């Protein structure tokens, strides 16, 4: 049996940052992650879809340092560098299939979004360095939490082998409330109001899919285009320049086909439709990418539940406690969706982690 002061369930940005803060406070922490890698909905890959430190962000990518100081401050603290998201040039709009593509002068952004040089995974890798290898448990799904007189007994199922037990004084659950409710059994049961609230809270990114088309160079810039486009035709509804700071050219789009309908399509069919749309918008060169990437978060069982596939919805920021009743003194939620500010965003993950650590240390 493993013992610790605090067990963090979930190795995304919030969980890793909470671990960093607790270790600074000399608190013994064990971090438990169901996947073989850390980062959660932060994933940076190369042209073959493999993890890299100079690639394309399949999940979280942008942040706004002027209006999201929490994430901007952490990036500065870790010594990471960023660059401005390209918005120079005209914007395209596709209203109807029988109409020509409309082109409008780019307005620019007073407070432009930024991206990390190399990709958002740089942030995850920098935070991981803080955690000793023996306090980082990967490939372990938490299946049961049992409330004891002196803490919480956590049952984990490794990807291989027998179930393991972790005994801790307090648990920080750094994953979406809806996913937590759907995948972990609580003994005793949660308060009904808490369980219902967790179920009703949408998980950021879970219903969505991102498509990338990779090119030799960002040719659209030669034509005075920003790479930004909006479409009411689809399959992508919003497109952006996803070229990396090192010059790897790409266009990225959010697919507007609902998750339930995407399940009826195979990946090749959807990718072909996306490439065809880029050709309509940006011309013949766009129809001949060197490679494509498609990440459908709705098919990721460690991100999305059936509720996420069925409907989307917006996350509402709140200061109300996420845990009441018998579990209140032993369990704290810290997923980005639980943040009182910027819920669902990178900044929300940082704010939620800080609040959770204050709850544990307070």
């Amino acid at each position: 049996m493993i013992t610790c002061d605090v067990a963090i369930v979930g190795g995304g940005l919030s969980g890793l940052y909470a671990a960093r803060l607790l270790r600074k406070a000399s608190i013994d922490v064990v971090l438990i992650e169901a996947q073989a890698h850390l980062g959660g909905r932060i994933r940076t890959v190369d042209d073959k879809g493999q993890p890299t430190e100079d690639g394309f962000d399949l999940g979280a990518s942008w942040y706004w340092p002027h209006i999201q100081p929490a994430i901007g401050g952490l990036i500065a603290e870790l010594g990471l560098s960023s660059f401005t998201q390209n918005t120079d040039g005209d914007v395209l709009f596709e209203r109807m299939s029988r109409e020509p593509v409309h082109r409008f002068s780019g307005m620019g952004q007073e407070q432009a979004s930024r991206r990390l040089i190399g990709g958002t995974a740089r942030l995850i890798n920098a935070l991981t360095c803080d955690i000793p290898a023996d306090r980082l448990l990967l490939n372990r799904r938490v299946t049961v939490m049992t409330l004891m007189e002196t803490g919480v007994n956590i049952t984990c199922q490794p990807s291989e082998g027998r179930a393991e037990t972790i005994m801790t004084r307090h648990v920080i659950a750094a994953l979406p409330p809806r996913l937590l409710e759907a995948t972990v059994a609580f003994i005793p049961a949660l308060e009904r109001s808490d369980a219902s609230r967790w179920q009703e809270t949408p998980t950021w990114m879970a219903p969505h899919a991102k498509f990338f088309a990779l090119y030799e160079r960002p040719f659209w810039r030669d034509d005075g285009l920003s790479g930004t486009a909006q479409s009411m035709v689809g399959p992508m509804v919003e497109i952006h320049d996803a070229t990396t700071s090192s010059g790897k050219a790409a266009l990225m789009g959010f697919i507007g086909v609902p998750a339930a309908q995407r399940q009826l399509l195979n990946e090749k069919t959807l990718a072909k439709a996306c490439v065809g749309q880029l050709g309509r918008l940006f011309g013949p060169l766009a129809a001949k990418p060197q490679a494509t990437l498609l990440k459908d978060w709705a098919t990721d069982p460690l991100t999305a539940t059936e509720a996420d596939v069925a409907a989307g919805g917006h996350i509402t920021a709140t200061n109300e406690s996420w845990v009441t009743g018998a579990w209140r003194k032993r369990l704290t939620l810290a997923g980005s969706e639980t943040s009182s500010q910027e819920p669902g965003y990178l900044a929300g993950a940082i704010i939620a982690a800080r609040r959770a650590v204050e709850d544990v240390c307070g």
Side-chain angles (χ1 to χ4, degrees), residues 245-265:
S245 61
S246 61
K248 297 175 181 177
L251 291 169
M252 180 278 294
F254 292 96
I255 296 175
V257 180
Q261 293 183 30
R262 292 199 304 269
Q263 292 182 347
L264 303 177
L265 303 172

Side-chain angles (χ1 to χ4, degrees), residues 71 76-77 276 289:
I71 185 64
E77 177 185 333

Side-chain angles (χ1 to χ4, degrees), residues 20 24 27 45 100 113-114 134 142 150 157 231 249 274 327:
R20 176 183 177 87
K24 282 186 174 182
I27 295 174
V45 302
S113 59
R114 298 187 69 81
D134 65 335
V142 172
T150 58
Q157 181 60 55
S231 173
C274 289
W327 282 95

